[in-house]
Amino acid sequence: MSSQPLSDLGERGLIQAIARYFGRAPAIRVGAGDDAAVLALPAGELVATTDLLFEDVHFSERTTAAFDVGWRAATANLSDLAAMGATPVGVLIGLGLPPETPVSWIEELYRGFTACADPHGAFILGGDTCRAKNRTVAVTALGVVAPHQILRRSAALPGDLLIITGKLGASRAGLAALLNPECYTALDRAVLDSVIYAHRHPVARLEVPALVWQVCDRAAAMDTSDGLLDAVTQVCEQSNCGAILSTEALPIDAATQQVAGADAVAWALTGGEDFELLIALPAVAADSLLIRLATNGLTGTIVGTVTAEKAITDRAGQPITGKAFEHFCS
C-alpha cells in the first residue's frame, strides 16, 4: 500500500489504485469505468438506501482505523437493506478527501468495506471522489425484495411480540473503552477487546428476513442503528401502537455488563450502532422464529409486547425514556 499523499496521485491515479476493489459478477453488466453501472436485477422490487459518514462525527483516528471505517460504512447500509427484507445487489461509494490524505488510508477503507460487503454480494459498482476539508464517506446501497416480503415499520399490531436479534449495548461499551481507556484499567483485556471489536465490526443481519417469512406472513422490522428504544418507538408510531418492554430481559453480554456497570440497560436501550434487527410478529410465530434463529447460529430474545395503548412502558407500567443520538440537536 502506498504511503504517499493523495495530492501526489490525483483523482485518476486514485481510481486506478482502488480499482481492484470494484465488484465483478455476472449480474454486473457494466461496472466501474463508464459513466454509470448497469445491473441485471433479479425479479423483485428495487430497494435503495444511503448513509453519510463524516470524520469527527462518525469516526476519528482516535477510535477507528481506516479498515474499520470501511467495515462500519458497509454494515450501516447493509443493515438498512436487512431491515427492509432486501438482498444486496451492489453499492456506490462517494469519497470527500483532503489532498493530504494518505493513499494507504483510502486503500484500507476499501479493504474493510469489501471484507464486510462482498460476502453478501454487495459489490462496489463505482462512485465518485472530490476534494473536501474533512474525510467523508457516502454510500448508496441497492437491493431487491419480493413484493410480498417487504418489511415495514408500519406492520405491527397489538398482541405482537417484539424480538431482538443478537446482543445490545456492546458497541456503546466499545466506544466508551476507546474514548476513556483510563476508566477501565481494572478490567481484563479480553473483556475490553470484546466490546471494542463489537464497536468496530458490527454485523448486518441479512439472513434474518428469510427466517421471518418462514414462520409468518406479516411482520414489522427496523434496525437498531440508533438504539432499541428508538427502533421500538418508531415502529410503534408508524403502526399506531405502543409497547411494553421487559427491560430485565434485554440481551446484554457479560463483557458489556462489566464495562457499562449501572449503565448497562441504558446503553442497551439507547447506545445504538449494534445494528441488530427488531422484529414485531404474531405471538404464535415467535417461538418458531427463535428456533430458526438458533438453528442458523443466531440468537433472538423476546423483549416486549405490542399494545393498543400508545405508550412505551416497562412491565410495571412506568414510561421508558431515553434519548438516541440526533445530528441536529444539542
Side-chain angles (χ1 to χ4, degrees):
M1 292 188 182
S2 174
S3 60
Q4 67 187 129
L6 178 58
S7 56
D8 287 353
L9 203 62
E11 184 176 20
R12 291 186 182 179
L14 173 63
I15 293 171
Q16 291 175 355
I18 62 177
R20 65 180 180 276
Y21 298 106
F22 297 160
R24 293 174 179 83
I28 303 174
R29 298 293 192 243
V30 179
D34 278 79
D35 286 317
V38 179
L39 291 175
L41 293 179
E45 307 289 327
L46 178 66
V47 180
T49 184
T50 189
D51 253 43
L52 283 170
L53 282 80
F54 285 93
E55 188 172 23
D56 297 327
V57 176
H58 299 95
F59 63 90
S60 71
E61 295 283 1
R62 183 179 175 188
T63 62
T64 320
F67 182 96
D68 305 325
V69 175
W71 183 287
R72 286 167 55 80
T75 294
N77 285 269
L78 297 182
S79 186
D80 283 341
L81 293 182
M84 299 300 297
T87 298
V89 295
V91 298
L92 300 165
I93 302 179
L95 294 179
L97 299 165
E100 64 273 15
T101 303
V103 174
S104 57
W105 188 92
I106 303 165
E107 292 178 312
E108 275 293 284
L109 180 143
Y110 275 83
R111 194 170 71 86
F113 193 101
T114 54
C116 177
D118 282 7
H120 300 289
F123 300 114
I124 298 172
L125 305 174
D128 195 17
T129 59
C130 70
R131 177 194 294 260
K133 291 183 178 180
N134 296 95
R135 297 172 191 174
T136 305
V137 184
V139 181
T140 297
L142 305 174
V144 292
V145 62
H148 62 287
Q149 292 185 337
I150 300 171
L151 288 171
R152 301 286 302 276
R153 299 177 187 178
S154 58
L157 292 174
D160 285 355
L161 293 183
L162 296 170
I163 288 178
I164 191 72
T165 62
K167 304 294 182 181
L168 296 173
S171 181
R172 177 64 181 83
L175 181 61
L178 288 165
L179 291 176
N180 303 294
E182 69 281 358
C183 296
Y184 305 103
T185 54
L187 294 181
D188 188 85
R189 187 68 239 177
V191 169
L192 298 176
D193 287 345
S194 174
V195 295
I196 289 171
Y197 187 87
H199 176 72
R200 289 175 168 169
H201 297 95
V203 177
R205 302 301 184 184
L206 287 158
E207 61 273 70
V208 170
L211 304 178
V212 172
W213 295 121
Q214 289 174 15
V215 302
C216 63
D217 59 7
R218 176 188 57 78
M222 183 177 169
D223 80 347
T224 62
S225 55
D226 290 320
L228 174 64
L229 181 58
D230 176 75
V232 171
T233 300
Q234 294 206 48
V235 166
C236 288
E237 285 178 350
Q238 295 200 32
S239 297
N240 201 31
C241 299
I244 298 173
L245 290 182
S246 302
T247 54
E248 67 279 3
L250 297 180
I252 304 170
D253 66 25
T256 300
Q257 185 68 65
Q258 290 186 59
V259 175
D263 292 323
V265 170
W267 288 4
L269 287 170
T270 64
E273 295 191 327
D274 290 308
F275 296 103
E276 298 295 346
L277 283 188
L278 171 73
I279 304 145
L281 76 169
V284 294
D287 285 342
S288 296
L289 178 58
L290 295 179
I291 292 170
R292 290 182 186 271
L293 287 169
T295 300
N296 285 271
L298 303 169
T299 59
T301 305
I302 297 173
V303 295
T305 306
V306 179
T307 64
E309 294 76 22
K310 299 173 188 177
I312 311 297
T313 70
D314 61 20
R315 289 168 61 87
Q318 296 301 308
I320 298 177
T321 59
K323 187 175 182 180
F325 175 75
E326 293 191 35
H327 286 281
F328 302 108
C329 297
S330 56

